Amino acid sequence: MRITISAIAVILIILSSVTASVAEGEDANAEAGTIFTLWPLLDYRDSPKDGFRNISMLGPLFKFQHNKEDHDTAVRPLFYQTTNRHNKTSSADYLYPLASRDVSPEVTTFQFLKLVQSNSYRKDEPEQQEKDAMFFPFYISGKSEKYGPYTSVFPFYGDIYERFWRDEYHYVLFPLYGRTVKKGTTTRNYLYPFFSTVEGEREKGFQFWPLYGQASKEGAYSKRFALWPIFSTESSRLNTDNPTHKVAVLPLYAATDSPQKISRSYFWPFFGYTDDIARDQHEIDYFWPFWLTVRGSTRNVTSVLPFYSVDRGRESLKRWYMWPLLKREEISSSSYSQHLDRILFFLYTDSRETWAKDGSERQRTALWPLFVYKKDIRGVMSLSVPAPVEPIFDRDGIEKNWAPLWRIYQQRWSETGDSAYPLFGTFTGMRSGMKPWPMSCFRSSNFRQTARVAI
């Protein structure tokens, strides 16, 4: 009880100090803004002219920020929400990337691990409002404009329309029986995937997988297999200007013939070749994908992995040295260029981009798990230490919800000389005339810009 009372008293004293300091700062210079730091309990800064205010408590754990029309509320790593009252929109992450919720005047969506989803569309049109929900694969519901409402309760019974790359799904006691429809073709499955039939306009087929199967559509395609995947033949695109014929007896032989491509494979993956007439390039595979060559008017490849590989295009160049030790990528055009170096995939990455039109640049350098350095197109630079996740997953959700929790040191500075650097995940600083608090430093040639750059 005494500990609780003491904690409340400390918080009240801090808030009183902040209020007094803020009032003093606003009276002195309403446009200059205020920075007050009592790390790690509290960090407050505002810039009235820019409509910016931020309060951080207990280091990076609690954040309340107002930036013009945007309001951010965070209880890291449990919750982070951004709302815009003017646009009536909001987005929230719950233990990112576990769950998220997005709201706008037209749509509201919620997802949990992409397996549980709930969506409401056309909220501003009550008569045409649509809703769907999913707990994949056990429960799916929604409404199709063409077929109407549908419900699926897997594996007992279900009807699904215009989802998952098919026009219709119907099943009873899956895998006992199922039926799908796509572009007028009906496929029925019995004890999926072993028995099935295909029906459509001038189309029919059946299979007893993996022993034998065949299907054909007059003037469009014909295919069959035996002892899948050992033997198969296929003629497709018969109603186009590029009819394609394939035959395979794996792993001994495979062939593809069409007006645009001729391909052969012998004792795959040891030897094969492809003449891509449409792309004007010739590929020879000696041991795919490690030893191969491609020669053409727009692309040339020489690959002898893991020792060396070079892939050169009209505006691109990719090279591997002692794969996966070192990879270099280059893109160069009249308007844009990029240079990317990687060592052991994500151990070290360095990306530099340039836009020729306005001369703007962007850079990102990361050494896992030690640091990440960034420079954006505005000329604002930052250095974060350590970086156990960012070099691998460069996501805004990681930056907002998790990264501040493990950062020991971060510095941000601009080309104009503004700078701020903290310890332990939260930016700290001082007002004009104040002595810096321990473990914090702040300098600026433009107070308002630094107050915003630093957050």
Side-chain angles (χ1 to χ4, degrees), residues 179-332:
R179 177 170 63 92
T180 66
V181 180
K182 181 179 181 180
K183 296 181 179 180
T185 299
T186 300
T187 301
R188 290 180 172 84
N189 290 278
Y190 309 90
L191 289 177
Y192 177 86
F194 300 106
F195 305 94
S196 70
T197 63
V198 176
E199 295 178 359
E201 184 179 358
R202 299 177 301 172
E203 183 178 15
K204 61 181 179 179
F206 72 93
Q207 77 168 20
F208 180 19
W209 187 87
L211 300 181
Y212 181 81
Q214 67 177 45
S216 63
K217 183 175 183 179
E218 183 179 343
Y221 76 89
S222 175
K223 58 184 178 181
R224 67 180 62 198
F225 72 84
L227 297 177
W228 186 91
I230 296 175
F231 174 78
S232 64
T233 63
E234 180 179 350
S235 296
S236 60
R237 302 178 181 178
L238 301 180
N239 52 355
T240 70
D241 58 358
N242 186 44
T244 303
H245 304 277
K246 298 180 181 180
V247 61
V249 184
L250 298 179
L252 303 178
Y253 175 76
T256 299
D257 291 282
S258 74
Q260 297 182 6
K261 181 182 291 186
I262 298 174
S263 177
R264 297 290 185 272
S265 176
Y266 305 94
F267 295 98
W268 185 89
F270 293 103
F271 180 76
Y273 71 86
T274 299
D275 282 319
D276 195 329
I277 302 169
R279 297 182 179 180
D280 187 24
Q281 66 183 32
H282 179 71
E283 176 178 342
I284 300 178
D285 303 325
Y286 304 97
F287 184 32
W288 186 89
F290 301 102
W291 185 12
L292 61 90
T293 61
V294 177
R295 296 292 181 264
S297 58
T298 61
R299 186 183 181 214
N300 288 276
V301 180
T302 300
S303 178
V304 189
L305 293 177
F307 306 106
Y308 174 77
S309 175
V310 56
D311 185 341
R312 187 184 302 272
R314 285 181 176 177
E315 298 180 344
S316 64
L317 176 62
K318 300 179 182 180
R319 289 170 288 179
W320 277 107
Y321 302 94
M322 297 303 297
W323 181 90
L325 181 61
L326 174 62
K327 183 180 184 181
R328 311 195 72 174
E329 297 184 33
E330 299 177 19
I331 299 175
S332 180

Side-chain angles (χ1 to χ4, degrees), residues 6 12 45 121 129 160 170 173 186 255 267 283 318 374 393 412 416 434 439 443 446 453:
S6 300
L12 290 175
R45 58 192 67 212
Y121 305 98
Q129 185 173 350
I160 304 174
H170 308 275
L173 297 177
T186 300
F267 295 98
E283 176 178 342
K318 300 179 182 180
K374 295 181 181 180
F393 299 105
R412 294 186 183 180
T416 61
M434 292 181 61
M439 295 185 293
R443 62 182 177 83
N446 184 321
V453 167

